[in-house]
Amino acid sequence: MGAAVSRALEGVRVLDMTHVQSGPSATQLLAWLGADVIKLEAPGGDITRGQLRDLPDVDSLYFTMLNANKRSITLNTKTPRGKELLTELIARSDVMVENFAPGAIDRMGFTWEHIHSINPRLVYASIKGFGDGPYTDFKAYEVVAQAMGGSMATTGFDGGPPLATGAQIGDSGTGIHAVAGILAALYQRTHTGRGQRVQVAMQHAVLNLCRVKLRDQQRLTHGPLAEYPNPQDTASADEVPRSGNASGGGQPGWAVKCAPGGPNDYVYVIVQPTGWPPLTRLIGRPELAHDPEWATPEARLPKLTKMFQLIEEWTATQPKWSVLQHLNAHNIPCGPVLSTKEIIEDPSLKANDIIVDVPHPQRGTYTTVGNPLKLSDSPTTIHRSPLLGEHNHDIYHHELGLDEDELPALRAQGVI
């Protein structure tokens, strides 16, 4: 018989005082890794339960897709009894995560010092918009973080406006950074026996994801950046330009149009030195493989726009899956631009449990994104998000030991 299946964070209890996206994305990952995540909500619930609803009076997909595998309790932490119960929950937890506005938890009377005195082993993680300084009290949203972390200035086409990226690098990107900090603190606790404070700012997380753009900012002092295909005024270029669809790496890449010309009929192609000769044959210009004007990466670099135009003249004549087949046959790095519809229907993504269908008692089955972290000894089963206060009885009565008769009274008093 094989070993019993366990999960990486089994036995770790997380008090989840987060809402919207950055915090819930972090605690959902912890839940998928096996932690017991108790989502503590005000009696009205996480605001996203009601946002962007597609069905009336049912938890929105916004909520369900960020709160899988958690248990939900309601608690009004502004009431005296609520503070007592919060103290009890902190004492019994290994990790506490919050993403309220700066100082909100302190104003409840739960400073880091007080929390640490209640439970010296607790890892207390906070996600904020910004670090200490002039931005500290700015309200942080996904695209605000993108704007202030370097992403927007470098996304878009030359001469066009700065653009947001569809990837939620401000919210979910910060959540992943928070998970890394929490796991490191839990590991350090195995040596020290002590919990610690973990702080992650959305602006900082976006900047970390944009570090190659700061690389390029410093390279600018030695001349223009040839791998960016934009026309640049070399005399005045003192900031990294918008990169369009340029790869920004050592090998040039671009998204080229395919037939029949729909919004996502594109293939992204990388031109490596070894890929150039087969590419010239595919596009019907085999002479360019040996033409000194085109044969080397150095010769092609000033002509990237023209090079991708030549490739596009070929790709535009056939569907993206056909282009993909031809390019892959010659080991040319490429990938089709997949629409959200293609992704949600992709059988391989379903087979990998990254597109997952989950039954829900109120909304029926919904589709969500599964766990991207695959651990050989810690398998993940995706469970639906909890209903508001679904686990009040389990946690308050069975685990905290409150008398069963007290729960209706607490509800009547607005404590839970």
Side-chain angles (χ1 to χ4, degrees), residues 220-251:
L220 266 178
T221 58
H222 304 291
L225 308 172
E227 74 280 5
Y228 286 82
N230 311 329
Q232 291 176 55
D233 178 352
T234 54
S236 65
D238 63 350
E239 53 191 31
V240 176
R242 308 208 214 293
S243 53
N245 282 324
S247 70
Q251 313 293 344

Side-chain angles (χ1 to χ4, degrees), residues 300-320:
R300 292 191 294 273
L301 206 51
K303 300 192 280 286
L304 292 182
T305 303
K306 178 64 179 167
M307 179 181 79
F308 285 112
Q309 273 172 3
L310 292 171
I311 295 168
E312 193 170 80
E313 284 168 17
W314 166 67
T315 60
T317 64
Q318 52 195 305
K320 63 186 177 188

Side-chain angles (χ1 to χ4, degrees), residues 337-365:
V337 172
L338 295 181
S339 71
T340 47
K341 184 173 188 293
E342 287 172 308
I343 286 169
I344 208 166
E345 294 172 354
D346 189 309
S348 70
L349 295 177
K350 288 188 175 184
N352 278 282
D353 288 330
I354 194 70
I355 295 289
V356 185
D357 294 325
V358 185
H360 188 278
Q362 293 179 341
R363 67 177 303 126
T365 297

Side-chain angles (χ1 to χ4, degrees), residues 94-324:
D94 298 285
V95 178
M96 174 174 161
V97 191
E98 62 88 16
N99 65 331
F100 289 105
I105 300 281
D106 292 17
R107 288 191 293 277
M108 285 179 201
F110 290 86
T111 60
W112 159 239
E113 292 73 24
H114 181 46
I115 289 166
H116 192 57
S117 70
I118 296 167
N119 181 355
R121 288 177 55 79
L122 184 90
V123 172
Y124 174 31
S126 293
I127 295 172
K128 295 290 174 267
F130 308 95
D132 292 335
Y135 311 135
T136 304
D137 293 322
F138 281 27
K139 282 202 162 181
Y141 279 79
E142 168 65 47
V143 186
V144 172
Q146 289 189 30
M148 296 181 68
S151 177
M152 284 188 78
T154 54
T155 304
F157 285 88
D158 191 52
L163 291 180
T165 171
Q168 303 283 281
I169 60 175
D171 276 325
S172 287
T174 305
I176 296 163
H177 283 80
V179 168
I182 290 164
L183 296 181
L186 284 172
Y187 181 72
Q188 190 170 4
R189 189 179 77 171
T190 64
H191 302 296
T192 65
R194 268 196 331 275
Q196 62 184 296
R197 192 95 162 80
V198 174
Q199 293 176 289
V200 185
M202 291 167 68
Q203 182 189 27
H204 300 174
V206 172
L207 182 52
N208 185 41
L209 296 173
C210 288
R211 67 172 53 233
V212 296
K213 301 302 181 180
L214 281 202
R215 171 202 70 192
D216 292 348
Q217 177 63 35
Q218 294 170 85
R219 289 172 58 229
L220 266 178
T221 58
H222 304 291
L225 308 172
E227 74 280 5
Y228 286 82
N230 311 329
Q232 291 176 55
D233 178 352
T234 54
S236 65
D238 63 350
E239 53 191 31
V240 176
R242 308 208 214 293
S243 53
N245 282 324
S247 70
Q251 313 293 344
W254 201 255
V256 289
K257 286 180 189 167
C258 303
N264 293 301
D265 287 324
Y266 286 83
V267 166
Y268 196 86
V269 186
I270 301 273
V271 181
Q272 294 175 316
T274 53
W276 180 242
L279 249 178
T280 62
R281 294 194 295 275
L282 284 171
I283 67 174
R285 299 291 300 273
E287 74 279 4
L288 298 181
H290 308 292
D291 183 338
E293 288 287 303
W294 289 94
T296 64
E298 293 72 27
R300 292 191 294 273
L301 206 51
K303 300 192 280 286
L304 292 182
T305 303
K306 178 64 179 167
M307 179 181 79
F308 285 112
Q309 273 172 3
L310 292 171
I311 295 168
E312 193 170 80
E313 284 168 17
W314 166 67
T315 60
T317 64
Q318 52 195 305
K320 63 186 177 188
W321 297 104
S322 168
V323 170
L324 200 69

